[in-house]
Amino acid sequence: MSKKSQKIFMKKIIYCASVDGNPNHLETIHKLKQLENWEPAIIAFPHPLSKLAKNKYPKTFVTDDLRVRQGNFDDLEKNDLLPLEKNVLDDLKIFQTRYFDTLEDTTGWNYSYQERKENFYETFKFWYSVIKKMKPDILIGFNWPHTASDYSLYLISKYYFKIPTLFITPIPFFGKSLYTIGTSMENSSKIFEKAYESNNEEISSFVKNYVKNFKTNHNLPAHQVKYYDKLKIRKNYSFLGILKAILTLKIFKKVNLALKKNKESYKSPKSIINIIEHIILMKKKLSNNKKTKRYYDKISISKIEDRNFIYFPAQYVPEPNSVIMIKTFENQLLILDLLNKAIPKDWKIYYKEHPETFLSRKLTAPFRQKDYFEKLKKFEKIKLLRSNFNTYELIKKSKATIGLGTAGWESLLLNKTTIVFDNIWYSFCKSVKKVESVNDIKKVINHIDELDIDNDDVERCMQAVLSETFYTSIFSNKIE
């Protein structure tokens, strides 16, 4: 191929990654450049990967994801900064409150409303100017775009510049290292719809065996077990590490986080926590986890007491698929309020808290604490269940499962009704019951004993998902 023809087919690419500073990302960029003539135009990676990218691609616009999250936009010359015009703002303002949820804050009150708006405008102004200058053709993310930096980059690329967006979805399917390429944070099921609706693909033995095995041996997926075990034993600082930091006076060194600790400007170094503050916050967080768990166990039940109940498997917050990817019902209390009003008087909602709520070491608000569970107690039809209660027993004995995460999909596999309120990756499946109002819920409940889950349809859904997956070790050390 001649150099002239290479230029004709060349694509200019945005590459972004936030917390996933995997050195293999650079190898991926190199291979795509070699095989597809995809030239890296913009790279937004965390340090030290951003530094490696600058050395490898000196003509590429490279910026540090963390610095952008901290309000440092000096990788772009001031003369290149462009103001946001009305048509840009019109396309982006509908995402403003979702963007606010990406701003990291130790209490939830350190950012004023005015400062959140300022951060929104400044960050989008930065990416608007960068894209105008570099003129990219495609955006590729190595994870869900979910930080203030890569989420804003994704939004302006997709909704204003109409640039095709691709990202690796960090959900392992079928209990294996099988992942998908997503195209929309706002419609997680979009990538499966074409394969599902075409109904041309024969159901594979892989899918049939998976369904058969799941019905008889539905244990917690291995990746979840490993993740929870890791949270239980993980230590951020060893005693010797702390002692060394004190002796070398590094104990006051700023931590590489975009976590705002006070009312100072988000651009000020004074708003960033140092090592000693991080240690203190971590200790407080772990202590709060234990206190919250004790309180939750005190007010929750350990056995099923009712025949007619809806199973509500709470999602952990804050996470992308429970906050910024949700269009309307990102506050799960809104769903509970609707259910509490809609279900019959002799029905209950069995609420089970997500185990990570009591194990998480994430320091950014909001956290579920005692006050949250006190709000739940005010709903007359809600009963709280121990967080270690067997989710599969709950699904089997329930009338329906609320589809907020994996449990909703597992409910379909176990021939139980799944009710969905908002964006979830399996909402394309016709067997899922989609609701938005009290009347919608009542209609489902009135016919719930007559509803039969179509196994053929569930297998079709699974086959559609399988057709879009690929094996990768990007989120683990090996293929499983």
Side-chain angles (χ1 to χ4, degrees):
M1 186 182 285
S2 68
K3 288 185 178 179
K4 185 176 180 181
S5 61
Q6 280 184 338
K7 288 183 179 179
I8 292 173
F9 294 104
M10 184 186 77
K11 294 289 185 184
K12 297 169 73 175
I13 313 297
I14 304 171
Y15 290 102
C16 60
S18 49
V19 294
D20 305 303
N22 190 329
N24 291 330
H25 295 346
L26 292 177
E27 181 61 26
T28 302
I29 294 173
H30 177 68
K31 285 185 177 179
L32 288 173
K33 180 177 165 66
Q34 278 188 321
L35 298 173
E36 303 293 339
N37 201 17
W38 283 12
E39 187 72 29
I42 301 168
I43 295 177
F45 281 173
H47 185 80
L49 203 55
S50 58
K51 186 176 181 180
L52 294 174
K54 279 184 180 181
N55 293 335
K56 190 164 186 175
Y57 301 106
K59 294 181 180 179
T60 299
F61 181 87
V62 179
T63 191
D64 185 338
D65 170 87
L66 179 62
R67 286 178 60 77
V68 174
R69 288 155 61 192
Q70 292 175 338
N72 295 312
F73 308 114
D74 50 12
D75 285 320
L76 188 69
E77 296 290 337
K78 285 187 178 181
N79 291 338
D80 290 329
L81 278 172
L82 301 171
L84 293 173
E85 298 176 351
K86 182 181 183 297
N87 56 344
V88 185
L89 295 171
D90 287 344
D91 287 337
L92 298 174
K93 285 202 79 171
I94 59 170
F95 299 103
Q96 191 175 64
T97 54
R98 283 192 238 184
Y99 174 81
F100 289 169
D101 286 325
T102 68
L103 300 178
E104 297 155 88
D105 184 333
T106 58
T107 65
W109 302 102
N110 291 329
Y111 273 100
S112 68
Y113 179 67
Q114 191 60 39
E115 193 174 30
R116 289 178 188 271
K117 289 199 296 182
E118 179 188 332
N119 183 295
F120 174 87
Y121 294 130
E122 290 281 335
T123 306
F124 279 97
K125 179 179 177 179
F126 172 73
W127 287 127
Y128 172 70
S129 305
V130 171
I131 293 173
K132 276 281 194 179
K133 181 179 180 180
M134 304 308 296
K135 298 178 173 55
D137 301 297
I138 302 171
L139 179 144
I140 295 177
F142 289 98
N143 198 334
W144 278 327
H146 64 284
T147 68
S149 174
D150 60 1
Y151 182 57
S152 56
L153 177 55
Y154 156 81
L155 288 175
I156 198 166
S157 297
K158 185 176 182 68
Y159 291 103
Y160 177 72
F161 287 103
K162 312 301 180 188
I163 294 170
T165 56
L166 306 170
F167 50 84
I168 300 175
T169 301
I171 299 175
F173 289 97
F174 306 104
K176 297 183 177 295
S177 302
L178 284 167
Y179 296 88
T180 59
I181 300 291
T183 59
S184 171
M185 291 282 283
E186 295 70 45
N187 184 359
S188 303
S189 67
K190 184 178 181 180
I191 57 169
F192 308 123
E193 290 171 359
K194 187 176 179 180
Y196 174 70
E197 290 167 3
S198 67
N199 198 22
N200 293 328
E201 201 165 345
E202 185 179 345
I203 306 301
S204 65
S205 58
F206 178 94
V207 166
K208 289 181 179 179
N209 288 333
Y210 180 81
V211 174
K212 182 181 178 181
N213 291 336
F214 186 85
K215 288 180 185 296
T216 56
N217 184 27
H218 31 264
N219 294 319
L220 196 66
H223 71 275
Q224 287 188 16
V225 174
K226 288 180 182 177
Y227 180 67
Y228 293 144
D229 287 346
K230 187 178 177 181
L231 283 177
K232 289 174 185 176
I233 63 173
R234 178 182 164 193
K235 291 184 178 180
N236 289 78
Y237 298 97
S238 66
F239 173 76
L240 290 176
I242 295 172
L243 184 61
K244 183 180 178 181
I246 293 172
L247 294 175
T248 57
L249 300 180
K250 290 183 179 179
I251 200 76
F252 300 108
K253 183 182 177 182
K254 298 295 183 182
V255 176
N256 286 330
L257 293 172
L259 186 62
K260 196 168 187 288
K261 69 175 182 180
N262 53 31
K263 303 289 185 181
E264 295 283 346
S265 167
Y266 70 96
K267 294 183 179 182
S268 170
K270 293 180 181 179
S271 71
I272 302 170
I273 62 173
N274 58 36
I275 291 176
I276 186 65
E277 289 168 331
H278 191 245
I279 292 170
I280 293 169
L281 281 171
M282 191 61 68
K283 292 288 185 184
K284 285 182 178 178
K285 172 64 174 169
L286 294 177
S287 174
N288 181 69
N289 285 351
K290 291 177 182 178
K291 288 178 183 177
T292 306
K293 178 74 163 57
R294 282 197 298 269
Y295 179 72
Y296 183 83
D297 287 346
K298 182 181 177 181
I299 62 172
S300 60
I301 58 177
S302 58
K303 63 180 181 179
I304 294 172
E305 300 174 338
D306 301 271
R307 183 166 170 242
N308 298 322
F309 69 90
I310 303 280
Y311 173 37
F312 190 97
Q315 280 290 86
Y316 172 70
V317 292
E319 280 290 289
N321 58 342
S322 61
V323 183
I324 61 172
M325 293 171 72
I326 303 300
K327 182 180 179 181
T328 307
F329 294 101
E330 77 283 352
N331 185 339
Q332 292 172 47
L333 290 173
L334 297 174
I335 298 175
L336 290 165
D337 198 15
L338 287 171
L339 288 169
N340 191 65
K341 183 71 175 177
I343 64 174
K345 289 182 178 179
D346 60 339
W347 282 42
K348 297 295 179 184
I349 303 158
Y350 273 38
Y351 176 103
K352 184 165 86 87
E353 186 52 62
H354 197 287
E356 192 171 351
T357 296
F358 309 116
L359 296 171
S360 174
R361 293 166 185 261
K362 294 179 182 177
L363 298 176
T364 183
F367 307 125
R368 283 182 182 154
Q369 301 183 81
K370 182 179 177 180
D371 62 336
Y372 177 81
F373 298 115
E374 285 177 340
K375 289 177 184 177
L376 292 184
K377 286 172 63 181
K378 292 179 181 178
F379 290 102
E380 58 178 329
K381 296 174 186 175
I382 287 182
K383 287 188 176 182
L384 277 61
L385 272 169
R386 295 286 170 86
S387 61
N388 62 352
F389 201 99
N390 188 294
T391 193
Y392 306 111
E393 183 183 348
L394 282 166
I395 291 171
K396 288 177 179 179
K397 292 185 177 179
S398 71
K399 289 290 187 180
T401 301
I402 303 303
L404 302 170
T406 308
W409 177 247
E410 292 168 339
S411 178
L412 287 177
L413 292 175
L414 294 173
N415 299 107
K416 282 289 182 175
T417 300
T418 296
I419 300 173
V420 167
F421 285 77
D422 216 309
N423 174 37
I424 190 72
W425 61 265
Y426 46 81
S427 60
F428 70 94
C429 190
K430 288 179 182 176
S431 295
V432 168
K433 301 302 173 186
K434 303 178 187 70
V435 299
E436 295 179 348
S437 65
V438 169
N439 285 337
D440 289 344
I441 299 168
K442 285 182 176 180
K443 285 177 184 177
V444 173
I445 290 174
N446 288 340
H447 300 283
I448 206 157
D449 290 327
E450 305 161 21
L451 296 174
D452 288 321
I453 303 300
D454 185 345
N455 286 322
D456 291 339
D457 181 57
V458 174
E459 287 187 351
R460 264 184 65 206
C461 294
M462 295 192 72
Q463 189 61 44
V465 171
L466 182 64
S467 69
E468 296 295 328
T469 61
F470 65 100
Y471 280 99
T472 178
S473 60
I474 188 171
F475 299 113
S476 59
N477 296 324
K478 61 179 180 179
I479 299 288
E480 295 178 342

